[in-house]
Amino acid sequence: MAPNVTEWVQEAEERAALKKTHVSFPQLKYPSLRDEPFKDPLQWLTGKALDDGAEGLWRVHDKLYDFTDFVNRHPGGEEWLELTKGTDITEAFESHHINPTTEKMLSKFYVRDAKTPRNSPFTFHEDGFYRTLKRAVYDELKKIPKDASVTADRITDGLFVTLLCSSSLACWYDDYWLATFWYVVASLSLATLTVTCHNFIHRKTNWRMYLFNMSMWSFRDFRVSHVLSHHLHTNTLNDLEISSLEPFLLYNPRKDKPLHARLGFITEWLFFPFTFLLNFFKRFLSIFVRKGFFRAHYRWHDAIGFLLPLCMWFASGSPVTRVIYTWLWINCTGSLIFFTIAVNAAHHHPDAIKDGDQPRSLTPDWGEHQVEALLDRKDVNGNTFAVMTLFGDHALHHMFPTVDHSVLKYLHPVFIELCEKFQANYRVSTQFQMVLGQIQETMRTDFKTLPNK
């Protein structure tokens, strides 16, 4: 039985101040390295390895496995196993493998049982919400047309071509208004292309995921900060997409939240335009401050972003200085648009943020937590283009990230049916309400409390 409201608020405040445990789930320790200054994917992975009890191997539930000889044969691409070595991958394994036969393969790589309890509150009981939904989704996917993903591919390819053409025209035209028009189109194309590429980053290695790097951001870093952190530990203190924004944006409530954080919905506009480039330079700086970083984490695709200004110069024939100037404006404006879309998408709302809530259960079903940690937008989900470019169909996407975005609409009926059966707290909102909610959440300083279940 959870403590009463008064006890819970006092307890949560004390734990948050001392940083001894996870606020929402009191049996968990405060994430290692969470508040170190670098706040990047490598630091997050290092901290997670310290907390997970995987002993340098891969942990799934309470067992340790050695996938070393399987890395190069992994159907999803070797990068997933490279990045997660030494950590608990239970949530990733469960959500990334819908086919039930995958679990049977684990026995081939078993080493020994883990010595410590899992540093995660989430459960995957066979008769629980998520496992039941996963079995139903596996059956539904067999009925979906084979060409259902074509729309998503065409949208992504179209945005890529539009970006190349519009950015070149922004350099080519001497007329101010025409150049400005194409600069705006190019900025929108870069932002929305980056969003649509997120659809492909979750899946096995494919060429469209590389287009994400046109923004100068690394899809390899994004696979950690977004796929392995945010998706699996949504709106908890293990969510890197929350901690990496601190101290500028503080989505978790704090009594001493500074004024600039409470006004984050305004101050975010000051640094969002530079976030694409900042991510690139932070990664570049790591070469010099982290031993072995270049060999371990740099890849050829880190240079893909430079293809855009090169294409602009080649197609327009403009002076190099004008090309660089225009490209920087496109990148900064595209970065602002992308992050504005992201923070107003589904999670940054008082009804979705979990830290500080009195928990209904100390060991919640992972799928039920995902439903609790977001609000779907009914004015976005009905259109495939909007879903692809505005992080739509978010609830189903979080639970089945490897399923193509344009396929998720086919899974809604069985999803709603099981939400009702298990009384999962599925909620819908509108884009306007999410914008208002993000403002409310950045300003909130008090813990929310929920009645005991």
Side-chain angles (χ1 to χ4, degrees), residues 341 344-345 377 379-380 390 429-436:
I341 292 172
N344 290 294
R377 291 157 295 160
D379 52 348
V380 171
L390 296 173
S429 178
T430 65
Q431 185 64 68
F432 179 68
Q433 289 171 330
M434 287 304 302
V435 172
L436 293 181

Side-chain angles (χ1 to χ4, degrees), residues 305-320:
F306 292 110
L307 292 179
L308 183 57
L310 183 64
C311 175
M312 292 166 64
W313 172 75
F314 182 80
S316 67
S318 299
V320 173

